[in-house]
Amino acid sequence: MSELRQRFKRLISQVLIGLVSFMQFAVFMPAQLAHAAVSSTLVISQVQTNGTTATDEFVELYNKTNSPISLNGWSLQYKGGGSAQFPTAVTSKLNFAVGDSVPAHGYFLIVNASASAPLLLQKDTTYADSAISLSNSGATLFLVNSTTALTDGNSSAIIDKVAYGAASGSGALYAEGTATAAPAANGSIVRQPNSTLGNGTDTDVNSADFSVQVTSTPRSSLSDTRPVSSPVLTVDSAKDGKVKVSWPLVIGADGYEYAITPTGQAFGVNTAVSAVVLEHEFTGLTDNTSYDIRVRAMRSGTGVGGVDEYSEYALISATPTPSVVVTPDLLKASVVYSRNGSSVTPFMEGVITVQATVTSGSVPAGDDLLLTLTRPGFATQVVTLTKTGGSVWSGSYVIQDGSQVTDETISASLKTESGNGVEVTSGATFTVNTNVSNPVVTVMSRCSTAQDSLTAKADSDVTLVYVSTSPNFTLANLEGLVLVAPVTSGSTTAEAFIGDNLFGTLYAYAKDAAGNVSGATQFVNDIVAPSVPTVQIEAGDRKLVVSWAAIADAKEYVFRYKKSGTSVWTEQVVTSNVQTLAVENGQGYDIAVASRDAVCNTSAFISNYAMAVAPQVIATSGRGGISEHEAEILARYAVVVEEKDGNPLDFKSPYSVDEDKDQNGIKDSEEDKDGNGIKDGEDKDGNGIKDSDEDKNGNGIKDSEEQPSTNVRDRSRLIVAIAILLIIAGAAIAAYSWAQSDNDTTGGAAPAPAPEKKDADEKAETVPAEEPQRKTKRGGKSKRKTRW
């Protein structure tokens, strides 16, 4: 039996220990666990914080994968820094638009909207300078797959982060490892190249992943990041031991390599040339022998570790043959250039038709004419003219965009394919103009006496200036067109009126005589009204004092008033923000105030109602004056209230004079004598709460209105845990006592001892025979031991 009790006691102890451990876990378990960082295939690849101006800044993203990545629902978040400790949350962010996407192995350029034009032309999206302004000294940028502002509690949404300069602090909202250096003006920090095509190295240590470059190289989704294509080869001629091949420009190529060998033999060492050379003539060849020629394109420093990258070889074969020796007549030809049938110059970017008419001599049979065109800043280009009938040879020439804003001259020379010179009698030169600079716009905002106007200065050959509300205006879509202003004859200036305070942000475009249209010049016309005044009215005897806080950008105020119920306003333009009106007592007045700036932008009117009231002498019958309490009540309820129709209404007690003699809105029989706002019969202890709503738990809140605190769950769990522990401890003590009592018994009922002999005046105490007895140390009396 004693062994059974011992086992029972050990069981109780083990259960108690287990429950204590469980309750510790349940009460003190953290509310949430930290999330591990999310691995991403999209990184911040380049950052510029300053350029020619402080707003010449950008952030570049790079996609390391083979598929485009949508930025919908993502954001770029920024936390400024410097030498001081960063705040615990981001200070600003940019939410990406629905259509924003980074192409496979491509870039995405995010530019400050106030940056200079070259950066804005490359951008994929912009952010306002007031939203994110990159610090030159130090900051941290975050690419986040959420639009929720980052804090220490939701850092799991971070895809990539870059800290630079004097960024300090540690943890999820700071640098990866250690911060990289801050770039200088016009420079950037750029991520190292990785095993793919772009800048995607990511070791989670900013200082190791980034380097500082002196001149930044911003790239957008339009930047070519693919391997360069193979050139397309053409054999231009193969005569007299020479073979000439050419190829069109390969986008993204920095140069080309070529080699030649007799067909079937191994190629030798390649010869490298620059990207401006798009042809080569191999000499010293053997006529009537077949030759293989190979050419490949090259791009510098874009491969792994910055090595050069090459296209596949393009292969072509040719066999030079001896030419027929002919003594030609003296050749002369005239050349005409046209676009869509028009020969008016200068020509703009695009394809033009070239037509040469031989006016003297004859071209050898089988020969074509070769037109060589020389343009400043471009490689010499040869156009093959083929015979189209009679003595006419035709071909085409592509004018490339040179971004020049003045006319330039292209020179032309002719020869036959066999090498005989041809004199160009007319058309030896023609002019091109492929661009026009943005106009310089000056805006004058006026008051309503004259319309707002603009003055636009442009290139000398500009004929028209277009003004639009859209940054995407073209001559094809005319999007948002407001007006077209002609350039004044003999000058470079266009002037136009744009209406009185009609438009805010506008864009100007210049068009020259060749039909080129410039980019957009953004300008702003001030049409923003000042803030609406906040009006206060003090009613006096036959006067109203109207005042309002001064508005920072207001030059003056429009103040008007009228008697309520009438329609004619009295209006004044004032500069003071305090106006006093002499009015009739008891007559309501409507008062309105608006603010106005220097160019007559006027805010909305703020309207008010007021009434002047004469002072009143209050007396009661039967006594001289009224009590202080009655005066307070009368003053309180003498305030004029305004109903929906604007008519004033004086306060009246809802009870008769017999029921409410002091007319304070409470029956005299229910008067609140202790001043707590509750009928005396309903608050016997005078604590300001009806007895029926009394706070039962003493926390000062009505039980019916008591709301749980924000930490009530934690406190409830703690209280329950303590209660359970106390119950278990009590049960354990009881069990132990029970076990001890069993150890003290003999297993059978002892015979009841004989009653103790008492004194004569003391009665003998009868003890039941079935209960064991023990004598106490004091008094000799026995007590029953209770069995639990």
Side-chain angles (χ1 to χ4, degrees):
M1 196 65 185
S2 59
E3 181 180 355
L4 180 60
R5 293 192 188 98
Q6 292 297 325
R7 291 182 179 177
F8 178 75
K9 289 164 62 177
R10 286 196 297 271
L11 177 61
I12 291 295
S13 300
Q14 291 171 354
V15 170
L16 181 61
I17 294 172
L19 285 173
V20 169
S21 300
F22 170 78
M23 294 309 300
Q24 287 177 333
F25 176 77
V27 173
F28 302 106
M29 179 178 64
Q32 62 179 9
L33 300 177
H35 295 283
V38 178
S39 176
S40 173
T41 54
L42 202 60
V43 294
I44 298 172
S45 54
Q46 189 175 185
V47 179
Q48 175 175 303
T49 63
N50 195 2
T52 304
T53 64
T55 55
D56 283 348
E57 57 186 34
F58 66 81
V59 179
E60 174 192 280
L61 308 180
Y62 176 66
N63 180 0
K64 299 193 292 184
T65 72
N66 295 321
S67 302
I69 296 178
S70 172
L71 296 174
N72 184 22
W74 293 34
S75 61
L76 179 70
Q77 303 195 23
Y78 169 82
K79 183 165 66 169
S83 59
Q85 181 76 14
F86 282 13
T88 58
V90 297
T91 56
S92 53
K93 64 186 180 72
L94 163 70
N95 294 336
F96 292 107
V98 173
D100 290 343
S101 177
V102 187
H105 293 296
Y107 297 92
F108 189 88
L109 191 61
I110 311 161
V111 179
N112 188 314
S114 301
S116 57
L119 271 179
L120 289 174
L121 290 176
Q122 302 177 63
K123 54 88 178 173
D124 287 302
T125 189
T126 60
Y127 57 85
D129 185 51
S130 59
I132 300 177
S133 182
L134 304 185
S135 168
N136 297 332
S137 59
T140 304
L141 286 162
F142 306 88
L143 181 62
V144 185
N145 65 356
S146 167
T147 57
T148 302
L150 287 171
T151 64
D152 288 325
N154 63 352
S155 59
S156 62
I158 298 173
I159 298 300
D160 191 32
K161 57 182 175 179
V162 176
Y164 61 88
S168 62
S170 61
L173 296 189
Y174 299 92
E176 289 181 351
T178 56
T180 188
N186 292 309
S188 65
I189 55 172
V190 61
R191 192 178 287 275
Q192 303 293 338
N194 66 337
S195 58
T196 57
L197 302 174
N199 300 77
T201 295
D202 189 5
T203 65
D204 284 347
V205 179
N206 290 154
S207 58
D209 293 340
F210 283 82
S211 60
V212 176
Q213 60 179 3
V214 176
T215 303
S216 63
T217 55
R219 291 159 293 192
S220 68
S221 60
L222 299 179
S223 300
D224 186 14
T225 60
R226 299 165 298 170
V228 285
S229 302
S230 300
V232 178
L233 303 180
T234 301
V235 176
D236 294 330
S237 63
K239 294 181 179 295
D240 301 324
K242 297 181 290 185
V243 172
K244 184 178 181 181
V245 295
S246 62
W247 54 90
L249 178 70
V250 175
I251 301 300
D254 297 319
Y256 304 90
E257 291 185 354
Y258 50 76
I260 189 170
T261 186
T263 299
Q265 295 185 18
F267 283 99
V269 178
N270 292 335
T271 299
V273 295
S274 67
V276 297
V277 179
L278 303 177
E279 62 181 15
H280 182 72
E281 185 175 62
F282 297 94
T283 60
L285 307 180
T286 303
D287 285 339
N288 299 317
T289 299
S290 176
Y291 288 88
D292 291 334
I293 302 165
R294 68 178 186 183
V295 181
R296 67 178 179 180
M298 180 269 292
R299 184 162 61 192
S300 302
T302 56
V304 178
V307 301
D308 295 340
E309 187 176 51
Y310 298 93
S311 72
E312 296 292 333
Y313 279 109
L315 300 175
I316 197 170
S317 298
T319 302
T321 58
S323 61
V324 177
V325 178
V326 176
T327 303
D329 298 331
L330 180 62
L331 288 172
K332 295 182 179 182
S334 61
V335 183
V336 176
Y337 312 90
S338 64
R339 180 197 300 276
N340 299 327
S342 174
S343 59
V344 178
T345 61
F347 294 105
M348 57 190 294
E349 179 185 1
V351 179
I352 64 172
T353 300
V354 181
Q355 190 176 79
T357 301
V358 177
T359 59
S360 176
S362 59
V363 177
D367 258 2
D368 288 326
L369 293 180
L370 302 179
L371 178 69
T372 301
L373 298 173
T374 304
R375 180 183 179 187
F378 286 80
T380 299
Q381 189 165 345
V382 177
V383 178
T384 300
L385 305 180
T386 58
K387 192 171 185 178
T388 55
S391 58
V392 178
W393 275 256
S394 300
S396 62
Y397 170 60
V398 179
I399 299 177
Q400 299 180 41
D401 179 10
S403 297
Q404 71 277 7
V405 295
T406 57
D407 294 348
E408 61 182 25
T409 300
I410 295 181
S411 302
S413 61
L414 268 176
K415 66 179 180 179
T416 65
E417 194 174 31
S418 58
N420 297 313
V422 179
E423 180 184 353
V424 180
T425 57
S426 64
T429 61
F430 64 97
T431 57
V432 297
N433 184 352
T434 60
N435 211 332
V436 57
S437 61
N438 295 5
V440 178
V441 178
T442 303
V443 180
M444 180 175 289
S445 297
R446 301 184 177 93
C447 288
S448 57
T449 55
Q451 296 187 54
D452 300 340
S453 65
L454 65 88
T455 301
K457 293 185 177 181
D459 301 338
S460 60
D461 60 346
V462 168
T463 58
L464 297 173
V465 173
Y466 296 84
V467 177
S468 169
T469 59
S470 171
N472 302 314
F473 171 88
T474 65
L475 292 182
N477 62 31
L478 299 180
E479 183 175 313
L481 181 63
V482 174
L483 59 89
V484 181
V487 174
T488 305
S489 177
S491 74
T492 60
T493 303
E495 295 182 323
F497 295 105
I498 55 177
D500 180 29
N501 293 339
L502 295 179
F503 303 99
T505 300
L506 293 171
Y507 302 86
Y509 304 81
K511 177 185 176 184
D512 65 9
N516 300 302
V517 177
S518 74
T521 295
Q522 178 180 321
F523 63 96
V524 178
N525 185 25
D526 182 9
I527 63 171
V528 178
S531 302
V532 178
T534 301
V535 175
Q536 295 181 339
I537 302 176
E538 181 181 348
D541 182 15
R542 289 175 294 177
K543 69 176 181 179
L544 296 173
V545 179
V546 185
S547 63
W548 57 91
I551 305 300
D553 52 348
K555 177 185 177 184
E556 57 197 14
Y557 305 92
V558 182
F559 176 75
R560 61 189 188 187
Y561 61 93
K562 67 180 181 68
K563 290 182 178 181
S564 296
T566 64
S567 59
V568 179
W569 292 87
T570 299
E571 184 171 290
Q572 306 173 36
V573 177
V574 300
T575 56
S576 172
N577 60 335
V578 179
Q579 300 295 318
T580 301
L581 294 178
V583 297
E584 303 173 17
N585 286 339
Q587 169 65 53
Y589 287 85
D590 297 325
I591 298 171
V593 182
S595 58
R596 178 183 291 173
D597 65 14
V599 293
C600 294
N601 295 311
T602 305
S603 75
F605 280 91
I606 181 71
S607 298
N608 292 267
Y609 170 85
M611 176 190 295
V613 180
Q616 299 180 9
V617 177
I618 303 173
T620 59
S621 61
R623 53 177 175 158
I626 60 174
S627 69
E628 183 178 345
H629 176 66
E630 291 170 331
E632 179 183 354
I633 292 174
L634 287 174
R636 181 185 306 169
Y637 292 104
V639 177
V640 174
V641 298
E642 184 174 340
E643 300 207 320
K644 293 181 180 178
D645 57 1
N647 295 322
L649 179 66
D650 291 336
F651 171 83
K652 291 183 180 180
S653 173
Y655 305 105
S656 68
V657 176
D658 292 336
E659 295 174 329
D660 185 14
K661 293 184 175 56
D662 52 8
Q663 289 292 288
N664 66 353
I666 302 176
K667 289 183 180 181
D668 295 342
S669 60
E670 298 174 350
E671 194 76 24
D672 176 14
K673 298 187 176 53
D674 53 8
N676 62 3
I678 299 173
K679 295 178 183 179
D680 292 336
E682 296 177 349
D683 183 15
K684 295 184 175 56
D685 53 8
N687 63 357
I689 301 175
K690 289 183 181 181
D691 295 340
S692 58
D693 295 335
E694 198 70 35
D695 176 13
K696 307 289 190 301
N697 53 15
N699 62 2
I701 304 174
K702 295 179 183 181
D703 293 337
S704 59
E705 298 175 353
E706 185 167 351
Q707 299 294 328
S709 70
T710 55
N711 295 324
V712 70
R713 180 179 296 176
D714 290 341
R715 292 200 300 270
S716 298
R717 290 167 62 184
L718 182 60
I719 291 169
V720 171
I722 294 172
I724 292 174
L725 291 176
L726 291 174
I727 292 170
I728 293 172
I733 294 171
Y736 178 80
S737 299
W738 175 52
Q740 287 294 105
S741 66
D742 284 347
N743 286 338
D744 292 340
T745 60
T746 59
E756 185 178 356
K757 191 174 183 180
K758 305 293 181 178
D759 295 332
D761 59 347
E762 189 176 17
K763 295 181 180 179
E765 182 178 344
T766 303
V767 180
E770 66 275 12
E771 293 286 338
Q773 299 182 32
R774 292 188 180 176
K775 292 185 179 180
T776 61
K777 292 182 180 180
R778 292 183 300 173
K781 293 184 180 180
S782 62
K783 295 183 180 179
R784 288 192 300 170
K785 182 170 185 178
T786 303
R787 183 185 297 271
W788 292 84

